[in-house]
């Protein structure tokens, strides 16, 4: 894998912050976008913009074909059985809200949902919103000192009122890769539906929803070198068919009259209104980028960066790392002594290094760890050892000022 060739596809990596060259280590929040994706967006606006699924005219059909091409690419990327199982949303957050609203329609007072303490707010708050109308109980799986889920406790949380188990594939704070296949299997042994939040797995790991046997799998394009405004809900066909629509409007109907409306077949039943077809079309170029680079190559490179940087980080006095599972993604959360994470992030920014600070939309996890937040550095395929060195030497400069 030729990293320099890869970097050339991302013009932002050439820019500076103040006097310093940008070292972008905030990939968990959003990854950068290669030129092929940007070109595809411009090309669509320049040559193929017409509303999808509505016109017999040539341009509309081209736009529709481009959108539907991406649906097939996504189906193949996650090894779904059928493109009817691929619903486009605005992102992971909307996909989870869709499931909470539509699948959640069947929940009854007294039902129980299992979550984990490492969930992103996107996989907590939509379930809490259900509690405004229904007396649904949320039960939470804990972690051990390495940041791994307590699977024995997970097993013990199931009972005859459990209706859903939902968990992240990879923690956006700890980097832990959870044993999701086993967790789905345990849920199914109890006759419980299982959903995986794949927002942090889809850019790094090969995903086979049929092998995982999950009922739902959700993720966002913008974390996968793709455009913003596009997400995916995968759902097993028979479950999606049994769910009521999420939003009403154009695109999602068969026939509308004032005496009643019938709904479109999958996947359109869940895609009310004009979709973000420009970005959806461009998302296929991001999948091309990942597949041409090779997920195995990406994973290997990021793993090397993780090992290399973790070892150097551990040598800096006062640094504490959160998340030390042996099976983890290239995410490094840490604090420097008692220093506030914002101060560390602010000073790193002065040296050109972009990291994320704060609670990372995982406040319950922060509470569990007994801290207000962390500094988080995360890698993508275009990051280099030289950048890791700049990050480490910058921290070596900063740490003594803060301790
Ligand atoms: N789930 C996880 C694990 C995440 O890391 C994120 C974003 O950081 C989300 C959900 C929400 O994704 P989005 O903001 O793209 O909807």
């Amino acid at each position: 894998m030729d990293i320099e060739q890869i970097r050339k596809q991302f013009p932002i990596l050439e820019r500076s912050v103040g006097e310093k060259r940008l070292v972008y280590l905030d990939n968990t929040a959003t990854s950068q976008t290669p030129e092929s994706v940007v070109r595809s967006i411009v090309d669509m606006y320049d040559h193929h913009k017409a509303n999808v699924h509505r016109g017999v005219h040539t341009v509309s059909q081209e736009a529709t074909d481009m959108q539907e091409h991406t649906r097939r690419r996504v189906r193949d990327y996650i090894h779904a059985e059928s493109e009817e199982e691929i619903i486009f949303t605005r992102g992971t957050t909307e996909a989870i809200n869709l499931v909470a609203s539509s699948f959640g329609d069947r929940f009854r007072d007294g039902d129980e949902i299992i979550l984990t303490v490492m969930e992103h707010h996107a996989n907590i708050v939509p379930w809490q919103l259900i509690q405004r109308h229904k007396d649904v109980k949320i039960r939470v799986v804990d972690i051990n000192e390495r940041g791994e889920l307590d699977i024995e406790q997970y097993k013990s949380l199931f009972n005859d009122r459990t209706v859903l188990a939902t968990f992240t594939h990879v923690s956006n704070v700890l980097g832990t890769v959870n044993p999701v296949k086993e967790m789905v299997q345990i849920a199914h042994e109890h006759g419980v539906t299982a959903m995986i939040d794949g927002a942090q797995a889809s850019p790094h790991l090969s995903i086979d929803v049929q092998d995982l046997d999950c009922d739902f799998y959700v993720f966002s394009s913008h974390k996968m070198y793709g455009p913003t405004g596009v997400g995916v809900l995968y759902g097993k066909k028979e479950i999606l068919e049994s769910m009521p629509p999420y939003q009403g409007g154009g695109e999602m109907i068969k026939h509308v009259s004032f005496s009643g409306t019938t709904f479109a077949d999958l996947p359109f039943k869940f895609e009310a209104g004009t979709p973000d077809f420009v970005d959806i079309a461009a998302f296929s170029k991001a999948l091309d980028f990942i597949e041409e680079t090779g997920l195995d190559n990406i994973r290997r490179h990021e793993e090397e960066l993780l090992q290399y940087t973790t070892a150097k980080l551990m040598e800096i006095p006062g640094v504490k790392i959160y998340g030390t599972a042996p099976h983890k993604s290239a995410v490094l959360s840490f604090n420097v002594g008692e220093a506030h994470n914002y101060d560390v992030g602010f000073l790193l920014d002065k040296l050109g290094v972009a990291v994320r600070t704060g609670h990372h939309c995982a406040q319950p996890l922060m509470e569990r760890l007994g801290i207000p937040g962390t500094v988080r550095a995360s890698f993508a395929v275009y990051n280099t050892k030289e950048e890791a060195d700049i990050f480490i030497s910058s921290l070596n400069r900063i740490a003594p000022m803060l301790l």
Side-chain angles (χ1 to χ4, degrees):
M1 197 171 64
D2 183 343
I3 300 291
E4 278 318 306
Q5 273 310 110
I6 288 174
R7 288 180 69 84
K8 281 194 186 128
Q9 300 177 48
F10 295 83
I12 196 170
L13 301 177
E14 294 292 312
R15 68 160 282 182
S16 302
V17 175
E19 301 281 287
K20 304 283 181 187
R21 206 195 66 195
L22 170 68
V23 174
Y24 186 78
L25 300 181
D26 194 16
N27 296 288
T28 295
T30 196
S31 58
Q32 297 302 337
T33 310
E35 273 180 323
S36 56
V37 172
V38 178
R39 270 203 309 274
S40 162
I41 293 170
V42 174
D43 177 57
M44 188 127 186
Y45 278 114
D46 281 350
H47 304 291
H48 308 284
K49 186 169 179 242
N51 211 331
V52 290
H53 294 300
R54 283 181 192 165
V56 288
H57 65 80
T58 304
V59 187
S60 170
Q61 283 179 6
E62 284 169 6
T64 305
D65 286 349
M66 290 163 87
Q67 169 173 294
E68 295 309 311
H69 170 70
T70 303
R71 201 185 303 274
R72 288 188 293 278
R73 295 286 285 110
V74 171
R75 175 201 62 196
D76 295 345
Y77 188 78
I78 62 170
H79 301 93
E81 196 177 330
S82 139
E83 62 214 66
E84 294 167 284
E85 299 178 317
I86 308 298
I87 316 281
F88 288 121
T89 64
R90 282 194 301 122
T92 305
T93 302
E94 191 181 46
I96 297 173
N97 276 278
L98 191 166
V99 176
S101 165
S102 177
F103 182 75
D105 194 53
R106 66 187 66 181
F107 297 169
R108 300 282 162 259
D109 287 345
D111 283 349
E112 297 189 3
I113 302 168
I114 299 176
L115 308 180
T116 85
V117 75
M118 64 168 77
E119 295 313 306
H120 187 281
H121 295 165
N123 201 22
I124 299 174
V125 185
W127 309 110
Q128 290 176 329
L129 292 181
I130 294 178
Q131 293 176 319
R132 290 179 304 175
H133 316 291
K134 292 176 190 167
D135 184 19
V136 168
K137 192 167 168 190
I138 293 174
R139 311 197 71 185
V140 182
V141 187
D142 199 11
I143 48 172
N144 65 19
E145 68 289 347
R146 288 188 299 270
E148 296 162 305
L149 291 175
D150 181 343
I151 298 299
E152 288 310 308
Q153 186 217 2
Y154 170 68
K155 287 181 189 165
S156 76
L157 294 180
F158 287 89
N159 61 44
D160 57 6
R161 295 311 308 263
T162 313
V163 284
L164 179 76
T166 176
F167 33 81
T168 192
H169 197 157
V170 173
S171 163
N172 66 320
V173 176
L174 306 165
T176 316
V177 180
N178 291 320
V180 287
K181 184 172 172 179
E182 183 190 347
M183 292 173 77
V184 170
Q185 195 186 334
I186 293 166
H188 287 173
E189 279 163 12
H190 291 87
V192 171
T193 302
M195 179 170 86
I196 302 174
D197 174 352
Q200 295 300 343
S202 53
H204 311 287
L205 305 176
S206 164
I207 292 151
D208 184 332
V209 289
Q210 292 189 73
D211 180 54
L212 292 172
D213 198 26
C214 52
D215 301 294
F216 301 109
Y217 196 98
V218 295
F219 53 99
S220 299
S221 145
H222 72 94
K223 295 183 194 288
M224 305 171 67
Y225 310 103
T228 56
V230 179
V232 172
L233 163 64
Y234 157 81
K236 280 185 184 162
K237 189 174 169 190
E238 63 276 17
I239 300 184
L240 289 174
E241 276 175 341
S242 73
M243 287 160 49
Y246 170 50
Q247 293 179 331
E251 302 270 352
M252 51 75 73
I253 52 91
K254 261 195 185 121
H255 181 76
V256 180
S257 81
F258 285 114
S259 56
T261 289
T262 50
F263 304 119
D265 294 329
L266 293 175
F268 308 110
K269 177 171 115 179
F270 292 106
E271 293 181 356
T274 300
D276 185 353
F277 58 87
V278 172
D279 291 305
I280 291 172
F283 182 31
S284 75
K285 300 291 176 202
L287 296 177
D288 290 348
F289 168 77
I290 293 178
E291 290 188 351
E292 279 157 19
T293 311
L295 263 175
D296 283 348
N297 293 331
I298 295 175
R299 174 101 183 116
R300 210 173 307 118
H301 176 68
E302 291 173 349
E303 174 73 22
E304 263 174 45
L305 287 174
L306 177 70
Q307 299 304 342
Y308 179 78
T309 317
T310 304
K312 300 241 169 195
L313 198 57
M314 282 165 63
E315 288 168 9
I316 302 178
V319 166
K320 179 171 164 55
I321 296 176
Y322 298 90
T324 53
H327 196 196
K328 71 177 273 194
S329 181
V331 177
L332 267 171
S333 275
F334 62 96
N335 276 318
V336 181
E338 298 294 310
H340 198 283
N341 55 79
Y342 289 158
D343 294 336
V344 180
F346 177 80
L347 292 171
L348 281 173
D349 181 58
K350 295 286 156 223
L351 299 171
V353 182
V355 292
R356 183 124 306 224
T357 56
H359 54 63
H360 316 297
C361 298
Q363 280 182 329
L365 177 60
M366 294 301 138
E367 203 176 308
R368 167 66 179 80
L369 297 171
I371 49 174
T374 72
V375 184
R376 183 184 70 189
S378 51
F379 297 104
V381 67
Y382 41 68
N383 290 124
T384 61
K385 266 192 179 162
E386 291 69 43
E387 289 183 314
D389 284 336
I390 294 171
F391 164 58
I392 292 294
S393 64
S394 304
L395 256 188
N396 267 316
R397 265 177 78 182
I398 290 167
M401 295 181 214
L402 296 170
L403 288 172

